[in-house]
Amino acid sequence: MFKIWVTAGLLSLHLIQRLLFPYFWEDLKYLLRVVKYGLTVEVYRLRGKVSTVLDRFVKLAERQPNKPFILYEGDVYTYRDVDRRSNRVAQVFLKQGVLKKGDTVALLMSNEPDFIHLWFGLAKLGCVVAFLNFNIRARSLLHSIQSCEPKLLIVGAVYNGVLDCTLKDIQVWVMTKDPTLPGVITILDKLEAASEDPVPVKLRSVNSLKSSVLYIFTSGTTGLPKAAVISHMQVLKGAAGLWAFGATPADVVYITLPLYHSAASLLGIGGCIELGATCVLRKKFSASQFWSDCKKYNVTTIQYIGELCRYLCKQPKEGEKDHKVRLAVGNGVRSDVWREFLDRFGDIKMCEFYGATEGNICFMNHTGKIGSVGRSNFFYKLFFPFDLIKYDFQKEEPIRNEHGWCESVKKGDAGLLISKVNSKNPFFGYAGNKKHTEKKLLSDVFKKGDLYFNTGDLMVQDQENFLYFWDRTGDTFRWKGENVATTEVSDIIGMLDFIQEANVYGVPVPGHEGKVGMASVILKPNKSLDFQRIYEQVVTYLPSYACPLFLRFQETMELTGTFKQQKFQLVREGFDPSVISDPLYYLDHSKKTYVLLTKEYHGQILSGQVKL
């Protein structure tokens, strides 16, 4: 009888736990993994051993030299191969005497093994490496280079000749054997003659995990790209992502995202190093080749963004469950696409996460709840304090009460995500202009002297403490997996001599991730619109994802009470010609101009007949 009572009691406790705390064990398991990793890093620090991701890689090259690290276009690069090639890179620049520990080197390259060889080789010299976005051009590219103040600029062979190599005080090195421009210095010929011996360890050694190791560019919420300062601590945290989601050394990780993104470089490459795993690197994402690559290389883990999943779901159905993929790690996928993806491609654990490149807060959806970016609980907020606060959409700023304090939103309401800045969760800011760093911080939020990082993102937390991304604030929106800074687009359009003012914003399109670019323009007096010139201007000076797909011609521009351009109402009105009386136009690449947006064409866009 006693055994029956005990059994019944245990079953009752289990039932109560499932009803009141349904995610208890999953939360506990995930939290223990996070704490374990943090304690390991802390123990190393207390022992005076600051161990970086690069140190981990060097040890792996000794421990498993013949294990494939990178698979690329049919070629295999083992851990030893990558270690030796990166040693050659370090030896070249050491011999040339052009770099010293702490110098910054800017890297403009596509996805290829030499991106990683250069990154690691320069890191072995103690240099800070800046990952440049190879899609940007003209003013944005020049601004990015100048903002991180590099000693050298290294350009991939495919970009040879793209740059004006008269940059002040910056040497330009090109990944070729023969220079095609005067003044550039070639690398490949020097790599062939360089030694594979390792450079002195003291060059890469650091005294603190808070020291800078990378610059990764982000448009943030305003203006031109900003060089986010990435510390060794942030690299370690990023590299732990795959492990935290349950990846193992036996996994093969497929990376199609650009390496200049933190998701691909820190989570992808760094994650493989943390595990001692293999990565399949592709120069560029291809929806038609995606699953054939997964089968060919026995891929078990993929990285995604929302658009990538949507593209895959649009592909013709053909043997799509014939693969070994078990984990998908990424962010930005809509709930409907998430469900369709699982239905079509099989039992894959979707590991959605949230994290800004420069931010000090990260959420991971360890339970697999569809649509959520993660889940909070008492213990998580203890280690990583954050809040969702009330936000004024008209004034585009946090709401403060009569006492001057911010207020938290109720569960179910959208609020601005802010994360407390302290010694355990620091914010390292941006290189260059200190004002950019200061603008991302909120002080005196709940009490005098407190300090929070403003993510610029609006979130919703439900009754079960699951978090959902809602929207972005400020002068930015996301399209094709990239952040678009509206002020940059406005400036490019405003350079045209017939444009008085341009107001750029993002509008949602049914069936698409993010928002598509739209520009409301006002003409100068006695001038007429030249749609062909607008087309030429945007495609010449902007990356393809930043070109506005829609134009709206207005006679006057509405302003807010603080004399900022009014975007809120424009975003709500969208691009529907049956609702908007102003003339609307869309970008037509086939005609290389903007043409009138008709109700019929608008309907074709909504029904998915038109590819955006």
Side-chain angles (χ1 to χ4, degrees), residues 26 338 342 349-351 365-372 466:
E26 290 172 285
W338 189 326
L342 293 178
K349 181 183 177 183
M350 299 292 284
C351 305
N365 184 349
H366 56 277
T367 65
K369 178 77 175 280
I370 291 179
S372 171
F466 282 100

Side-chain angles (χ1 to χ4, degrees), residues 123-335:
K124 286 178 177 180
L125 294 175
C127 292
V128 179
V129 184
F131 295 163
L132 297 173
N133 179 344
F134 55 73
N135 288 300
I136 62 175
R137 56 198 75 171
R139 180 183 171 212
S140 287
L141 180 57
L142 186 61
H143 169 83
S144 297
I145 294 169
Q146 292 174 339
S147 66
C148 62
E149 299 180 338
K151 191 79 174 287
L152 301 180
L153 169 64
I154 300 178
V155 184
V158 70
Y159 303 105
N160 190 9
V162 171
L163 292 169
D164 174 6
C165 297
T166 58
L167 294 165
K168 261 191 175 182
D169 304 319
I170 302 175
Q171 284 189 7
V172 178
W173 291 59
V174 184
M175 289 298 290
T176 58
K177 291 183 180 179
D178 304 308
T180 56
L181 284 174
V184 301
I185 304 170
T186 57
I187 301 177
L188 289 184
D189 53 325
K190 297 173 182 61
L191 282 178
E192 289 180 359
S195 167
E196 292 181 344
D197 293 339
V199 295
V201 177
K202 65 179 182 180
L203 292 175
R204 72 168 190 266
S205 63
V206 292
N207 297 319
S208 170
L209 289 176
K210 293 183 180 180
S211 57
S212 304
V213 63
L214 294 172
Y215 292 134
I216 296 181
F217 288 84
T218 172
S219 67
T221 53
T222 57
L224 293 165
K226 299 192 289 289
V229 177
I230 307 298
S231 68
H232 285 284
M233 179 191 294
Q234 288 166 290
V235 176
L236 281 167
K237 287 180 178 179
L242 297 181
W243 172 81
F245 276 127
T248 71
D251 279 306
V252 177
V253 182
Y254 189 39
I255 301 174
T256 62
L257 305 179
L259 289 173
Y260 62 76
H261 268 310
S262 56
S265 52
L266 305 192
L267 181 66
I269 299 299
C272 286
I273 293 171
E274 176 60 34
L275 295 166
T278 300
C279 76
V280 178
L281 182 64
R282 188 176 176 91
K283 186 177 284 289
K284 189 178 181 182
F285 166 73
S286 168
S288 61
Q289 297 296 312
F290 191 90
W291 292 112
S292 60
D293 275 355
C294 288
K295 295 170 193 173
K296 178 180 178 182
Y297 295 110
N298 294 314
V299 170
T300 58
T301 300
I302 61 174
Q303 283 193 278
Y304 69 84
I305 54 173
E307 282 293 291
L308 186 151
C309 294
R310 189 176 68 83
Y311 291 147
L312 292 176
C313 289
K314 293 288 184 182
Q315 289 296 299
K317 296 183 178 182
E318 183 182 353
E320 42 212 40
K321 293 185 180 179
D322 180 24
H323 58 75
K324 296 179 180 178
V325 176
R326 65 182 189 89
L327 292 176
V329 182
N331 54 30
V333 63
R334 295 199 322 266
S335 297

Side-chain angles (χ1 to χ4, degrees), residues 418-431:
I418 59 174
S419 175
K420 195 165 189 177
V421 177
N422 53 36
S423 59
K424 297 295 181 184
N425 300 292
F427 169 55
F428 296 97
Y430 308 97

Side-chain angles (χ1 to χ4, degrees), residues 14 73 170 200 284 311 344 392 430 453 480 500 552 580 606:
H14 178 72
E73 296 185 351
I170 302 175
K284 189 178 181 182
Y311 291 147
R344 280 192 60 175
D392 189 318
Y430 308 97
F453 170 70
K480 301 291 185 183
Q500 177 74 41
R552 178 173 177 171
I580 300 168
L606 297 186

